[in-house]
C-alpha cells in the first residue's frame, strides 16, 4: 500500500524508492515463540507475529523469503493481552482482610465496615495491583468504582481502564441525587472510557433503574453484578432471606418492595435500556430459564464469570456448562 501510494506521487524521486521501502520494513518488528495463539484460530507452532507501531499487523507460520528482517525468538507462548472484565481496584487494600466463604451478604457488610479512608495505604495497594495485572499480561480492565480515588493511578497506568461508576440507592427520595453523584465521580475519569452503572439489583430500587434508563445515552456501557448469591434470587422470588436482615441493619424500609415470584434477572432486566451493551457479572446462580429469558429479550448482553471470587465468597461456581448453548 505504501509503495503504491508513493508510486502515484508526481514528486517522488524513484531512485530513493528502494531505500524508503527498506526503511518501512525495518519499522516492523517480528517476534517468534514456541507457540503463537491467535485466539481466533488454532495455535501455530513456531509462529511469527509482526508488530508495527504497537499494533499486530500479521501472524504467520513462516515469513515470505522476500522479507529480510530480524526475528526475535522467544521461549513459551505469545498470546494477545488479557482483559480483566471485572475489577474493584479501589478495594485492593482489602486483599486477605475479609475471611473466605462468608457468603455474599456478610461479605458486603464486611467490605462496608473495612473500606477505611487511609488514602496513602489505598493508593499504594492500587498501584501494586495495577503493576501486578500489567506484569501478568493484562492490558485492559473494566473497573468498578464508588469514588475518584483510582483516577490518578489509571491516568498513569500502562493498562487501558474503562471505569464503571456504580450507583447504589434504595431510598426513593434519593434517586436523582445518586445519579448526579455518580456523574460527579465519572468526571474524574477518561470520558472516552467511563460510564455510570447500577451496582446490583439488590442495591438499586425500581425507581432508580427507571431514572437511570432515562438519564443515559446508547454509548453508556452497563456492568451490573448479577445473581452472585442465591439470597438475591430469594429476595426477588419470595421476599425472604439474609438481605432482609441486612437492610434492617442499615435502617432501610422495604415495605413497598414486592416479591416477583421469579429470579432477579427476570425482574430487573426490562428496566435496563434496550440498546445499551450490558455486562452481567458473576451469574453464579443463573439458571437455564434465566438464560432463555435473556435470549428472548434480545439484549446486547455479555456474561462475565469470576470463578475465584465466587469460590472465595460463596464457595461455589456458576453452571458454565449451561452457558455454552447460549
Amino acid at each position: 500500500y505504501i509503495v503504491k501510494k508513493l508510486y502515484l506521487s508526481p514528486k517522488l524521486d524513484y531512485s530513493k524508492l528502494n531505500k524508503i521501502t527498506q526503511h518501512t520494513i525495518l519499522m516492523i518488528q517480528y517476534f517468534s515463540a514456541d507457540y503463537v495463539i491467535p485466539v481466533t484460530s488454532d495455535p501455530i507452532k513456531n509462529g511469527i507475529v509482526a508488530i508495527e507501531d504497537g499494533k499486530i499487523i500479521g501472524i504467520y507460520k513462516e515469513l515470505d523469503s522476500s522479507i529480510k528482517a530480524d526475528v526475535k525468538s522467544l521461549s513459551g507462548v505469545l498470546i494477545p493481552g488479557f482483559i480483566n472484565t471485572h475489577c474493584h481496584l479501589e478495594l485492593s487494600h482489602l486483599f486477605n482482610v475479609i475471611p473466605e466463604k462468608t457468603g455474599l451478604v456478610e461479605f458486603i457488610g464486611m467490605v462496608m465496615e473495612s473500606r477505611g479512608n487511609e488514602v496513602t495505604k489505598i493508593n499504594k495497594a492500587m498501584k501494586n495491583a495495577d503493576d501486578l495485572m500489567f506484569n501478568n499480561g493484562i492490558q485492559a480492565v473494566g473497573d468498578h468504582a464508588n469514588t475518584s480515588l483510582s483516577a490518578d493511578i489509571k491516568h498513569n497506568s500502562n493498562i487501558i481502564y474503562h471505569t464503571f461508576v456504580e450507583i447504589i440507592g434504595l431510598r426513593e427520595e434519593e434517586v436523582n441525587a445518586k445519579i448526579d453523584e455518580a456523574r460527579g465521580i465519572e468526571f474524574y475519569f477518561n470520558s472516552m472510557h467511563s460510564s455510570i452503572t447500577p451496582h446490583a439489583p439488590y442495591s438499586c430500587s425500581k425507581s432508580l433503574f427507571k431514572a437511570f434508563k432515562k438519564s443515559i445515552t446508547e454509548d453508556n456501557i452497563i456492568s451490573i453484578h448479577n445473581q452472585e448469591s442465591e439470597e438475591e434470587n430469594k429476595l426477588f422470588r419470595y421476599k425472604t432471606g439474609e438481605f432482609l436482615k441486612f437492610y434492617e441493619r442499615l435502617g432501610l424500609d422495604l415495605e413497598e418492595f414486592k416479591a416477583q415470584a421469579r429470579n432477579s434477572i427476570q425482574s430487573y432486566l426490562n428496566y435496563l435500556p434496550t440498546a445499551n451493551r450490558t455486562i452481567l457479572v458473576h451469574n453464579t446462580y443463573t439458571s437455564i430459564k434465566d438464560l432463555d429469558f435473556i435470549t428472548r429479550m434480545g439484549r446486547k448482553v455479555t456474561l462475565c464469570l469470576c470463578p475465584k471470587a465466587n469460590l472465595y465468597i460463596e464457595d461455589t461456581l456458576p453452571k458454565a456448562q449451561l452457558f455454552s448453548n447460549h
Side-chain angles (χ1 to χ4, degrees):
Y1 171 77
I2 292 172
V3 173
K4 184 176 180 181
K5 186 175 181 181
L6 291 170
Y7 179 79
L8 293 174
S9 172
K11 297 181 180 179
L12 177 65
D13 181 351
Y14 294 106
S15 65
K16 296 180 180 178
L17 180 59
N18 212 25
K19 292 181 180 179
I20 293 172
T21 53
Q22 286 176 9
H23 176 67
T24 302
I25 291 171
L26 290 174
M27 290 170 62
I28 301 173
Q29 295 176 289
Y30 294 90
F31 297 91
S32 177
D34 298 332
Y35 285 93
V36 171
I37 302 182
V39 178
T40 53
S41 61
D42 292 337
I44 303 171
K45 188 174 183 179
N46 299 319
I48 299 169
V49 178
I51 296 178
E52 183 178 31
D53 193 26
K55 297 179 181 179
I56 296 172
I57 62 169
I59 300 175
Y60 312 97
K61 291 183 178 179
E62 58 183 6
L63 287 181
D64 188 282
S65 58
S66 63
I67 298 177
K68 307 298 181 184
D70 292 329
V71 178
K72 185 174 181 179
S73 297
L74 306 169
S75 61
V77 172
L78 272 179
I79 190 169
F82 294 115
I83 296 175
N84 179 353
T85 311
H86 184 74
C87 182
H88 291 263
L89 189 66
E90 67 184 21
L91 299 181
S92 300
H93 63 293
L94 298 183
F95 180 66
N96 282 339
V97 170
I98 299 173
E100 295 183 43
K101 305 174 186 178
T102 61
L104 179 66
V105 180
E106 190 67 23
F107 181 85
I108 293 169
M110 290 182 178
V111 169
M112 293 171 65
E113 293 171 3
S114 307
R115 288 186 71 123
N117 55 6
E118 300 176 45
V119 175
T120 302
K121 177 183 176 182
I122 293 171
N123 282 337
K124 183 178 179 181
M126 288 193 294
K127 182 64 171 68
N128 289 340
D130 176 75
D131 290 341
L132 180 68
M133 286 192 285
F134 184 74
N135 290 334
N136 280 275
I138 293 172
Q139 295 188 334
V141 174
D143 185 63
H144 281 233
N146 301 107
T147 71
S148 60
L149 281 174
S150 60
D152 285 343
I153 298 290
K154 292 170 180 174
H155 178 72
N156 295 304
S157 175
N158 289 312
I159 294 172
I160 294 176
Y161 284 89
H162 183 98
T163 301
F164 296 103
V165 180
E166 294 181 340
I167 308 172
I168 298 174
L170 287 166
R171 292 186 173 91
E172 300 300 311
E173 67 275 11
E174 63 182 9
V175 165
N176 292 325
K178 288 293 184 180
I179 293 175
D180 290 342
E181 180 184 346
R183 289 288 189 208
I185 295 171
E186 185 191 15
F187 172 81
Y188 290 91
F189 298 99
N190 184 335
S191 61
M192 299 297 293
H193 292 294
S194 61
S195 55
I196 62 174
T197 187
H199 165 258
Y202 57 75
S203 62
C204 297
S205 66
K206 184 192 295 186
S207 298
L208 192 148
F209 275 119
K210 289 180 176 179
F212 170 79
K213 186 174 184 177
K214 293 177 181 178
S215 69
I216 64 170
T217 56
E218 286 189 14
D219 61 348
N220 190 109
I221 307 171
I222 299 166
S223 179
I224 184 168
H225 298 75
N226 179 67
Q227 296 174 294
E228 188 176 357
S229 169
E230 185 59 26
E231 296 302 318
E232 180 181 314
N233 285 332
K234 286 181 184 178
L235 175 68
F236 280 86
R237 289 188 74 89
Y238 315 114
K239 199 179 178 179
T240 61
E242 295 179 14
F243 270 112
L244 295 183
K245 297 176 184 177
F246 179 71
Y247 296 141
E248 188 177 336
R249 291 202 303 269
L250 294 177
L252 292 168
D253 181 11
L254 255 67
E255 186 176 340
E256 295 185 10
F257 181 86
K258 305 297 181 185
Q260 304 296 314
R262 56 192 178 189
N263 284 349
S264 63
I265 184 66
Q266 299 183 47
S267 303
Y268 76 84
L269 186 62
N270 281 332
Y271 295 126
L272 292 177
T274 306
N276 293 64
R277 286 181 292 164
T278 301
I279 302 170
L280 300 180
V281 182
H282 291 296
N283 313 294
T284 324
Y285 291 88
T286 300
S287 70
I288 193 164
K289 288 185 178 179
D290 296 328
L291 293 170
D292 287 338
F293 175 81
I294 295 168
T295 303
R296 290 199 311 273
M297 290 299 99
R299 305 297 183 95
K300 299 174 183 176
V301 166
T302 300
L303 301 180
C304 167
L305 307 184
C306 309
K308 290 183 74 174
N310 303 148
L311 290 172
Y312 193 97
I313 299 171
E314 289 273 337
D315 194 26
T316 191
L317 291 169
K319 298 179 178 66
Q321 66 271 18
L322 299 178
F323 303 156
S324 61
N325 294 329
H326 291 77

